Amino acid sequence: MNFRTGLAVGAGGALAALSARRLGRRMLDGLATRFERRLDREVRRLTEKAEQAGPLAKAALAGINALREGRSPFRALMNFGWTALKETLARIFGRGRRGRPTNIVERTDVGAPRRLVYDQWTRFQDYPSFMKKVVSVDQASGTKLNWKAKVFWSIRTWESTIVEQVPDEHIVWRSKGSKGHVNGTVSFHEVTPDLTRVLLVLEYHPQGLMERTGNLWRAQGRRARLELKHFRRHVMTRSLIRPDEVEGWRGEIHDGGIVTTPK
């Protein structure tokens, strides 16, 4: 092969290689263009539904936007996961709105006369001695009580007002507190002379991270059930043995005002 022939062959090979590279680039550009168009369609579709979409749809939109901005698939996946978590928490905790109330209904049968069970219930100052989460109860007046209790590892305080109270029958109260409150009714029903049914109906209004997290898992219902068991155990192991020492408050309250006082 002479110099000219070798030069021609080399030039042809170089042109072929250049053509192959150009063809490869055009193919890649075509694929990239089709991919970008598909991404654009998905972004438009998801954006239209973003306001009404759930956490996963919004997370998918965040991941696609990350890919459009040239981020790596790993970063896009991280954006997807973080957005999904953030949107889920926002739904759980209401984006700053007050939590929805939870209705709790529990009952327990106590093997003691109704009067004794009622009297022990009205001795609110005794609660910290047998209820696990109640720290203190201060009865400021016949209708006002200040509570302090544990919620997870924190302490919460609230004020409750008795709006209706009929001895041996029922007690109705309303409450207020910066970290949620509980309105409720407790009633006492004689099953037999020595067996009393206690029916507890609560309306729990959570507010705050811990309270709403607990509300998600219905922790308050389980806590009410457990505290009722503590109350029953206290009545049947302590109050029933020394009934003369259990002096309850037997006044009557209607519309938030005391209408009769104990004699």
Side-chain angles (χ1 to χ4, degrees), residues 4-258:
R4 290 182 178 178
T5 303
L7 183 61
V9 172
L15 288 173
L18 180 60
S19 297
R21 285 198 296 271
R22 288 177 177 173
L23 179 61
R25 280 199 299 268
R26 283 198 295 269
M27 292 179 63
L28 289 175
D29 289 343
L31 289 173
T33 299
R34 286 196 294 272
F35 182 66
E36 288 177 357
R37 288 174 180 171
R38 184 174 298 177
L39 281 177
D40 287 338
R41 288 196 299 270
E42 289 299 315
V43 169
R44 286 195 298 270
R45 183 178 65 83
L46 290 174
T47 301
E48 291 173 356
K49 298 181 179 180
E51 293 301 321
Q52 308 299 327
L56 289 180
K58 293 184 178 180
L61 178 60
I64 291 173
N65 279 329
L67 289 174
R68 291 184 68 199
E69 294 169 2
R71 298 181 184 179
S72 68
F74 175 75
R75 291 292 302 276
L77 184 61
M78 292 292 291
N79 275 28
F80 173 88
W82 169 245
T83 303
L85 176 62
K86 182 173 64 175
E87 291 297 326
T88 300
L89 291 176
R91 288 197 168 203
I92 292 172
F93 301 130
R95 296 186 184 275
R97 300 189 300 270
R98 290 182 179 272
R100 294 181 179 179
T102 296
N103 295 317
I104 301 169
V105 179
E106 297 292 340
R107 74 177 189 182
T108 187
D109 291 338
V110 184
R114 180 166 67 164
R115 181 183 178 113
L116 177 62
V117 174
Y118 172 85
D119 284 348
Q120 181 61 71
W121 187 278
T122 63
R123 292 178 59 84
F124 303 108
Q125 69 275 13
D126 292 346
Y127 283 17
S129 67
F130 60 85
M131 289 189 175
K132 186 176 181 180
K133 294 297 183 179
V134 179
V135 177
S136 65
V137 184
D138 175 32
Q139 188 157 7
S141 67
T143 60
K144 300 285 186 180
L145 298 102
N146 297 310
W147 296 77
K148 182 183 291 185
K150 294 178 183 178
V151 176
F152 297 103
W153 54 84
S154 298
I155 298 295
R156 296 288 186 261
T157 59
W158 69 92
E159 179 187 83
S160 64
T161 301
I162 299 174
V163 297
E164 182 89 4
Q165 182 167 349
V166 178
D168 301 330
E169 292 189 13
H170 62 262
I171 302 172
V172 182
W173 71 90
R174 300 289 180 265
S175 66
K176 59 182 180 180
S178 60
K179 293 295 184 179
H181 63 278
V182 180
N183 300 330
T185 299
V186 60
S187 57
F188 307 86
H189 309 268
E190 183 179 275
V191 181
T192 70
D194 293 318
L195 182 64
T196 303
R197 176 163 296 166
V198 179
L199 178 61
L200 182 66
V201 179
L202 303 175
E203 185 181 74
Y204 176 62
H205 297 261
Q207 186 175 359
L209 177 63
M210 293 182 184
E211 286 77 8
R212 289 174 184 172
T213 302
N215 194 38
L216 175 67
W217 301 109
R218 296 295 185 262
Q220 290 74 20
R222 293 194 298 272
R223 174 51 52 192
R225 191 178 312 124
L226 183 58
E227 299 293 23
L228 269 180
K229 290 180 179 178
H230 291 327
F231 174 78
R232 180 178 62 190
R233 185 187 68 241
H234 181 79
V235 172
M236 297 186 67
T237 60
R238 302 291 181 85
S239 309
L240 197 59
I241 297 174
R242 305 181 183 88
D244 295 337
E245 298 178 6
V246 180
E247 184 177 352
W249 193 84
R250 303 192 63 79
E252 192 165 333
I253 299 172
H254 293 287
D255 296 326
I258 300 175

